[in-house]
Amino acid sequence: MKIALIIENSQAAKSEIVHNALTAVAEPLGHEVFHYGMYSAEDKASLTYVMNGILTGILLNSGAADFVVTGCGTGTGSMLAANAMPGVFCGLIIDPTDAFLFGQINDGNAIAMPYAKGFGWAAELNLQDVYRKLFDGERGLGYPKERAEIMRKNRGILKEMKAATCKDIISALKALDQDLLKAAIAGEKFQDYFFANATDEAVRDYIRGVLAA
C-alpha cells in the first residue's frame, strides 16, 4: 500500500517525529511511505490544514496514494478539509482504539491526528501504536464481528451518498481557487512523488497544467 504523509505548517517542527513513527511501523509491514511535507517549519512551501485536505483529495483520487496520514494542532481542521473532497473518508484518530475501530468499522482511506493537543511525553509511542492498529492486518472486518455485514452495507451507502453529493475530482479541482490549489502542490517533493505514482491520467494532466500555469 502507498501511504502519503502530510504535515501542516503549525506542526511542521514535529515532522521528523511523525515520519519516523510512521515508517518504523509501515515499512516492515511492506507498505511504502511518501512524505509530501512539510519537512520543517522553515520550508518554502507552507501547507495549511485546508491545503492538507486538497492534497488528500488529489492523492487518493489520482491513485498516487492508497491511504493518507495527515493532521494539524487538533486534527479536526485537517479531517474536515479532507472530508470536503470527493472520494475521501477521513477519521479523526487520537489513540489506538480509535484507529482499530476506524479501520474495522469505517474502513476509510485517510486519518487526521492531533499533533499539538495531547502531544506530550512518549507521543511517538502513541503514534506507532495508532499506525500499527491501522496497517497491520486486514481492515473492514467489523467490530463487533456479528455486525460486520451491516457495517459493510453502511460503508457502501456512505460512498454512494458522497458520490451523489460531491463533484467529481476534476470538477472539484477546477472549482477551487487556482492559486490555493497551486500552493497546495508546491511542495519540494510533490512532483517527484505524484507523477511517479499517480495512475489517473485526467488528474495527472490537470495537475500538470496547474503547475505550468
Side-chain angles (χ1 to χ4, degrees):
M1 182 163 61
K2 294 177 291 187
I3 303 170
L5 174 63
I6 311 168
I7 303 287
E8 57 94 58
N9 51 21
S10 76
Q11 302 306 308
K14 296 166 184 165
S15 177
E16 186 175 359
I17 294 173
V18 179
H19 184 236
N20 288 346
L22 179 56
T23 55
V25 172
E27 289 183 350
L29 295 172
H31 305 303
E32 295 179 278
V33 176
F34 298 91
H35 191 351
Y36 281 83
M38 295 174 65
Y39 307 103
S40 74
E42 290 74 41
D43 281 12
K44 186 176 180 180
S46 181
L47 294 172
T48 66
Y49 73 81
V50 176
M51 293 175 186
N52 285 7
I54 294 171
L55 265 178
T56 298
I58 291 170
L59 297 176
L60 291 174
N61 283 279
S62 68
D66 303 304
F67 199 97
V68 171
V69 173
T70 187
C72 52
T74 65
T76 303
S78 291
M79 181 268 292
L80 291 171
N83 282 322
M85 297 296 287
V88 178
F89 299 89
C90 182
L92 176 62
I93 304 301
I94 298 172
D95 59 36
T97 302
D98 290 339
F100 172 77
L101 294 174
F102 177 70
Q104 296 305 318
I105 297 171
N106 309 107
D107 194 18
N109 52 15
I111 64 164
M113 295 192 69
Y115 298 129
K117 179 178 179 288
F119 199 92
W121 191 58
E124 75 281 3
L125 300 181
N126 181 63
L127 291 175
Q128 291 182 32
D129 288 343
V130 163
Y131 302 144
R132 198 168 287 110
K133 288 295 185 181
L134 276 172
F135 302 124
D136 188 6
E138 186 177 353
R139 290 183 294 125
L141 297 179
Y143 185 87
K145 293 293 179 65
E146 59 267 23
R147 289 186 52 78
E149 179 56 29
I150 187 62
M151 291 171 180
R152 184 198 62 78
K153 182 178 179 180
N154 284 335
R155 288 196 300 270
I157 293 170
L158 181 60
K159 288 180 181 179
E160 291 174 359
M161 184 176 75
K162 183 140 193 173
T165 59
C166 283
K167 300 176 180 179
D168 63 274
I169 187 61
I170 297 297
S171 296
L173 294 177
K174 288 180 177 178
L176 288 172
D177 180 304
Q178 295 302 282
D179 288 336
L180 176 64
L181 174 56
K182 194 165 187 176
I185 59 175
E188 176 186 341
K189 298 180 182 179
F190 173 82
Q191 293 190 52
D192 290 341
Y193 289 163
F194 177 77
F195 290 111
N197 289 291
T199 57
D200 188 294
E201 287 300 325
V203 181
R204 287 169 60 94
D205 289 346
Y206 191 80
I207 294 299
R208 190 176 285 112
V210 172
L211 290 166

